[in-house]
Amino acid sequence: MADKLNIITQNLQEVLNDQIIKHVIEVEQRPLKIYWGTAPTGRPHCGYFVPMTKIAHFLQAGCHVTVLLADLHAFLDNMKAPLDLVAYRVKYYERIIKSMLTSIGVPIDKLAFVVGSTYQLSEKYTMDIFRLSSLVTQNDAKRAGADVVKQVESPLLSGLIYPLMQALDEQHLDVDAQFGGVDQRKIFVLAEEYLPSLGYKKRAHLMNAMVPGLTQGGKMSSSDPNSKIDLLDSAKTVTKKIASAFCAPGVIEGNGLIAFVEYVLLPISKLSVTNIGDEKLLVEKEAKFYIDRPEKWGGPIEYSSIEQLKEDFASDKLSPQDLKQGISDAINKLLDPIREEFNNDPSFKELEAKAYPPAVVAKPAKKKEKVLGSKYLEAMEAKKKRETEKAVGDAATGDSVDEVAAKVLETTITE
């Protein structure tokens, strides 16, 4: 029992209400039911390997795992995904997540995928939103979504509904725990505080650390192309991005590359699949992170613990260049099966093209001010000419020069 708890909670930054997990495992003696949700917005990137490794751990511990493809959340988050694209992105996310898990040897036959709109539009769910919105203040809802929902100067009401729905998903998916990044913490706390007011039980919450991006500061994000490595990036592109990533010699804090080794590469290297009868089970082996370092700099080196790697990096025994070489090789090894599946499957390519069509660049509209300015100059030129010819006015027409200019301007504005 203790082994299951250790597997479920390993490599997590924080766990809320772990007594719920213990009760399910030790007292009820049944599989823990847990869900991880993702809103299908931007293209998934290598940062998604962090939750994938935890999903592997949950399956290893015998948990019933549900992946929520939160299509309505994707639209509510400041309309990151237009409704006409959401359906394609849901299918693409499911396909790429399965491909990621398969690439690291995780059996997916016991993994359930649920699309949010299949139950979030039901009468009961809608009534629960109304009930919850009558309890949660605007400030509480805004604070809960502050680290997740896109923040803009004039926020939309949809951003306040987002955290309420995420809290209700725990009840309507009938789970014991929700898993997500530590950036979800405020939403998790909202769920713990308000679900009991609706007569629903508290859930446990498990949070993984957020892996820093490749640039200095911030997390790996779909909205920042320089901070991430896409799952379909070529080997050459991966190597180039890693080579240009921020990695100050001897600096551990905020180092996205070291964090990637700690939360992705080492945990994945420990995963192994064994066959027991017709069933495939995940087991652990010794962790390994290999760096093919040139002989003139000490030769190849292998790490089995993040502590040793951090110690060597802090003391300059491991250079940023060698670290980057090892990470580039490891990431390309991870991505090779995904790229191969994508390149050899026309339906996969078609789905990606429909989910992320090329952006249409609109032609800039002509500025009215420029047109008006041009007409104004013509009017002033006419005025100057008339003033030169006749100091008083035009005796033939009876119009003054100012009146001529005014008529030109009036015509311009009317157009």
Side-chain angles (χ1 to χ4, degrees), residues 96-130:
I96 203 77
I97 288 170
K98 287 179 177 178
S99 186
M100 291 177 73
L101 290 169
T102 302
S103 77
I104 59 177
V106 179
I108 59 175
D109 54 318
K110 293 185 178 180
L111 197 62
F113 286 83
V114 175
V115 178
S117 57
T118 59
Y119 68 90
Q120 290 167 344
L121 299 176
S122 68
E123 181 179 346
K124 181 172 175 53
Y125 191 94
T126 302
M127 183 54 67
D128 274 348
I129 291 178
F130 292 151

Side-chain angles (χ1 to χ4, degrees), residues 36-292:
W36 171 70
T38 180
T41 52
R43 297 172 187 269
H45 49 76
C46 279
Y48 278 64
F49 274 114
V50 177
M52 294 304 106
T53 59
K54 282 310 305 174
I55 288 175
H57 292 155
F58 299 150
L59 292 172
Q60 183 183 352
C63 300
H64 288 173
V65 183
T66 297
V67 173
L68 171 63
L69 300 166
D71 54 344
L72 296 184
H73 284 84
F75 178 70
L76 289 174
D77 189 1
N78 205 44
M79 295 186 293
K80 279 185 179 178
L83 282 174
D84 58 341
L85 292 181
V86 168
Y88 292 119
R89 292 185 179 180
V90 163
K91 294 176 182 177
Y92 180 74
Y93 263 59
E94 180 174 352
R95 182 70 186 269
I96 203 77
I97 288 170
K98 287 179 177 178
S99 186
M100 291 177 73
L101 290 169
T102 302
S103 77
I104 59 177
V106 179
I108 59 175
D109 54 318
K110 293 185 178 180
L111 197 62
F113 286 83
V114 175
V115 178
S117 57
T118 59
Y119 68 90
Q120 290 167 344
L121 299 176
S122 68
E123 181 179 346
K124 181 172 175 53
Y125 191 94
T126 302
M127 183 54 67
D128 274 348
I129 291 178
F130 292 151
R131 292 170 64 204
L132 191 56
S133 62
S134 71
L135 300 173
V136 179
T137 67
Q138 175 185 329
N139 286 339
D140 283 348
K142 185 176 180 181
R143 183 169 59 250
D147 296 330
V148 178
V149 179
K150 184 178 180 181
Q151 299 301 299
V152 293
E153 186 176 345
S154 183
L156 300 173
L157 181 60
S158 59
L160 302 179
I161 301 173
Y162 187 112
L164 304 189
M165 291 178 62
Q166 186 169 336
L168 288 172
D169 288 335
E170 297 179 355
Q171 174 66 25
H172 287 263
L173 288 172
D174 188 27
V175 296
D176 306 301
Q178 182 180 174
F179 164 62
V182 73
D183 60 339
Q184 310 273 332
R185 192 182 194 283
K186 293 175 183 176
I187 295 180
F188 293 165
V189 171
L190 179 94
E192 291 187 15
E193 290 180 354
Y194 286 99
L195 285 188
S197 299
L198 299 181
Y200 301 144
K201 65 182 182 180
K202 284 186 178 182
R203 268 71 178 186
H205 295 100
L206 303 96
M207 289 162 273
N208 62 255
M210 303 304 295
V211 175
L214 301 180
T215 54
Q216 188 173 8
K219 64 181 181 180
M220 199 172 286
S221 170
S222 296
S223 60
D224 182 1
N226 295 321
S227 73
K228 65 186 178 76
I229 292 174
D230 285 334
L231 296 171
L232 298 177
D233 275 347
S234 67
K236 185 177 180 180
T237 300
V238 170
T239 301
K240 183 178 179 180
K241 285 185 176 181
I242 294 298
S244 61
F246 173 77
C247 187
V251 178
I252 306 297
E253 189 69 26
N255 190 317
L257 297 182
I258 290 179
F260 197 80
V261 175
E262 180 174 4
Y263 294 107
V264 176
L265 299 180
L266 280 174
I268 286 176
S269 71
K270 294 170 65 177
L271 297 175
S272 180
V273 179
T274 184
N275 293 319
I276 300 180
D278 295 331
E279 191 173 7
K280 292 183 177 180
L281 295 177
L282 281 169
V283 295
E284 285 197 356
K285 58 182 180 180
E286 185 181 5
K288 290 181 180 179
F289 173 58
Y290 178 78
I291 299 175
D292 190 15

Side-chain angles (χ1 to χ4, degrees), residues 1-18:
M1 298 299 180
D3 287 343
K4 284 188 177 181
L5 182 62
N6 290 335
I7 293 171
I8 290 169
T9 59
Q10 67 175 304
N11 275 16
L12 291 175
Q13 181 165 322
E14 187 176 4
V15 177
L16 300 177
N17 295 325
D18 63 341

